[in-house]
Amino acid sequence: MMDKKDFEDTLLKMVKKETIPAIGCTEPVAVAYASAVAKKYLNGKVNKIRVNVSLNIFKNGKFVIIPKTSESGLELAAALGAVCGVVEEGLCVLKNVNEEYIKIAKNMVKEEKIILLMENNTPHVYVKVVMENEKNNVEVILKDSHDHIEKVKLNGKVVYEDVLDEEKNSSDFLKQFTLKEFREICESISIEKLDFIEDGIEMNKAAAEKGIEHKSGLGLGCGLSKFQQEGKVGNNPFMKARILTAAGADFRMGGGDCPIMTSGGSGNQGLGVILPIVAVYEYGDIEREKLIRAIFYGHIINKFVKSYVGKLSALCGCAISAGVGASAAITWMLGGNDEQISGSVQNMLANLTGMVCDGAKETCTLKLSTSAGEAVLSSYLALDNIIVKPDNGILGTTAEETIENIGVLSSKGMSNTDKVIVDIMNS
């Protein structure tokens, strides 16, 4: 049995690994990153790039705007990675994109130097880039995480390899614990170890402010803010959560170039975990330290749900993992007990489980805004002991059991959904 110190250290390491800054949607960014790594090993001009991606990467990368470009497409992402990608910046690999680089990348796509294919029977997060010129051929495999390069081959010879230790890195590790045990760690961990949480608050609030200011993307955050000023919607934590989260997603999905702090490797989920908790905090008399611990708790629960559902799936992660994490964290932050924390999770999953993921794009803002608002409402209901009955529909006796059921629904009940969605996209 793992002792408390080892549990805390492992949990902190797992959360920090996937709570990192990213510029742009992490699916096209993963393609750009793999392409940038390939270019680093290729000596000379790029003649051809072949990109194979999982169905999930394809779905989330087809329509979302690439930062600074006002255009979408994994081919363009691969070209930009080769032209100006900065490998050392990780998920901020596209930070140096400018008009000149965009022009070069577009020409590469126009000249059909980029070949994109979907590959079956891969992990949810999977990218293979093969880059070649007259002298060299480089193959890069990105797998399991959006910034994890598993293997690099130069002219058929392995020159880099980093295969993850499944026992130490698998999300299955989380399945042996409960919301209560996660809560206990969040309460006891040294606050000095959570300094990265403040960075996430600053980044994601800045994105929300830019989304409102520039009326980015769909413009939902800006529109809701305007409605609030006109008295058409309320001025309360519920609406503030919707506005902030929508505006951050507007900016990100609309091609904004400021960094977002991710959660579980997803920028939208980073917005969906952090900003609803911040919205409630700003309306109450709550200690800053409690906010920090609450957001850490939200990150853990987001990752906990995804350990069952998968890193990418046919279900909207903003609703059934990030929203759930935010709601449980808000409940704890406002003084809720373990029964009420569990109740907020049950309320969320009784409500939003049917929300499907049909790819990353500007309309993700609507789903994120809904999830953020319902996270606050589900928490308030649970704190007033208004909690859905257990063993009802797909709900289990406990929140943990319901989360496991959602995993079964996603993996078995919706195993063909992603393919159908992609077929519709391509029709």
Side-chain angles (χ1 to χ4, degrees):
M1 183 72 176
M2 181 178 287
D3 65 31
K4 185 176 180 180
K5 182 66 169 61
D6 287 342
F7 177 35
E8 178 186 297
D9 289 346
T10 303
L11 203 55
L12 180 64
K13 183 178 178 182
M14 290 183 79
V15 170
K16 289 185 75 172
K17 182 179 179 182
E18 293 188 323
T19 305
I20 57 176
I23 295 176
C25 177
T26 47
E27 278 69 59
V29 163
V31 170
Y33 181 64
S35 183
V37 171
K39 181 62 169 64
K40 189 174 181 180
Y41 283 88
L42 190 78
N43 184 18
K45 182 181 177 182
V46 178
N47 287 352
K48 186 78 71 176
I49 304 175
R50 294 193 300 277
V51 184
N52 287 43
V53 298
S54 64
L55 185 145
N56 299 84
I57 293 285
F58 181 89
K59 181 184 74 171
N60 279 345
K62 184 173 177 64
F63 292 118
V64 68
I65 302 298
I66 297 170
K68 302 183 184 180
T69 69
S70 74
E71 296 188 27
S72 62
L74 293 175
E75 295 92 338
L76 181 59
L80 285 168
V83 171
C84 62
V86 184
V87 173
E88 294 73 19
E89 293 292 339
L91 295 183
C92 294
V93 63
L94 296 179
K95 67 178 295 184
N96 288 342
V97 170
N98 60 32
E99 290 300 325
E100 180 183 351
Y101 293 141
I102 293 169
K103 184 177 179 180
I104 295 170
K106 284 183 177 179
N107 283 335
M108 290 176 69
V109 175
K110 186 177 180 180
E111 293 167 5
E112 299 184 346
K113 291 185 175 182
I114 321 291
I115 299 170
L116 175 68
L117 295 170
M118 275 190 294
E119 190 167 325
N120 297 317
N121 303 316
T122 67
H124 291 158
V125 178
Y126 177 86
V127 178
K128 180 171 77 172
V129 170
V130 178
M131 188 177 292
E132 58 187 47
N133 58 22
E134 291 87 351
K135 295 182 178 180
N136 295 308
N137 177 291
V138 178
E139 178 183 302
V140 173
I141 301 290
L142 180 148
K143 185 178 173 185
D144 297 324
S145 289
H146 293 80
D147 62 346
H148 175 244
I149 302 299
E150 182 181 78
K151 188 178 294 185
V152 179
K153 290 182 180 179
L154 177 59
N155 299 325
K157 180 181 178 182
V158 175
V159 293
Y160 174 85
E161 190 165 19
D162 180 29
V163 179
L164 291 175
D165 184 325
E166 287 298 323
E167 185 175 348
K168 291 183 178 180
N169 291 281
S170 173
S171 293
D172 286 346
F173 162 81
L174 297 173
K175 294 179 181 179
Q176 60 189 302
F177 302 105
T178 65
L179 302 184
K180 178 182 177 181
E181 289 170 306
F182 295 140
R183 189 260 305 159
E184 289 170 346
I185 291 296
C186 291
E187 290 176 344
S188 64
I189 191 171
S190 169
I191 195 66
E192 285 74 23
K193 294 181 179 180
L194 303 181
D195 55 350
F196 67 100
I197 299 292
E198 286 282 11
D199 295 337
I201 295 170
E202 183 179 339
M203 283 181 200
N204 292 5
K205 277 203 71 179
E209 289 164 4
K210 288 187 177 183
I212 293 172
E213 179 185 353
H214 300 295
K215 198 177 181 180
S216 303
L218 184 64
L220 178 62
C222 182
L224 290 174
S225 181
K226 177 174 173 285
F227 296 159
Q228 188 180 68
Q229 292 168 18
E230 295 171 349
K232 293 177 180 176
V233 298
N235 186 343
N236 50 53
F238 172 84
M239 187 51 62
K240 183 162 189 176
R242 294 200 65 166
I243 291 170
L244 286 179
T245 311
D250 279 331
F251 190 74
R252 181 171 184 263
M253 295 288 96
D257 62 348
C258 78
I260 297 290
M261 186 63 82
T262 62
S263 182
S266 163
N268 277 356
Q269 288 170 35
L271 295 169
V273 168
I274 294 170
L275 293 179
I277 303 172
V278 170
V280 174
Y281 164 81
E282 291 183 346
Y283 270 82
D285 184 18
I286 301 168
E287 293 180 2
R288 188 74 175 181
E289 181 175 318
K290 196 146 194 180
L291 169 68
I292 301 303
R293 294 184 186 278
I295 291 174
F296 183 54
Y297 192 26
H299 284 312
I300 292 170
I301 296 175
N302 181 39
K303 191 161 180 61
F304 177 60
V305 176
K306 291 172 74 167
S307 71
Y308 287 97
V309 176
K311 193 176 289 289
L312 299 172
S313 77
L315 291 172
C316 175
C318 297
I320 55 95
S321 56
V324 166
S327 191
I330 290 167
T331 307
W332 174 81
M333 185 174 70
L334 295 178
N337 58 34
D338 287 321
E339 183 179 351
Q340 291 165 329
I341 291 168
S342 180
S344 70
V345 172
Q346 296 281 61
N347 287 346
M348 281 292 285
L349 293 176
N351 185 358
L352 296 183
T353 295
M355 190 182 286
V356 298
C357 171
D358 56 341
K361 59 206 173 309
E362 290 184 351
T363 54
C364 285
T365 298
L366 292 162
K367 298 180 183 183
L368 262 166
S369 181
T370 297
S371 301
E374 294 308 306
V376 175
L377 179 60
S378 293
S379 174
Y380 286 170
L381 289 171
L383 287 164
D384 202 36
N385 297 312
I386 302 171
I387 297 170
V388 296
K389 293 178 181 179
D391 294 321
N392 207 327
I394 60 171
L395 299 185
T397 304
T398 65
E400 291 85 357
E401 198 174 291
T402 299
I403 291 166
E404 185 175 357
N405 291 345
I406 299 301
V408 174
L409 174 66
S410 177
S411 61
K412 294 183 179 180
M414 305 183 75
S415 58
N416 198 46
T417 304
D418 276 328
K419 183 180 183 305
V420 173
I421 289 171
V422 169
D423 287 345
I424 292 171
M425 286 179 171
N426 289 332
S427 63

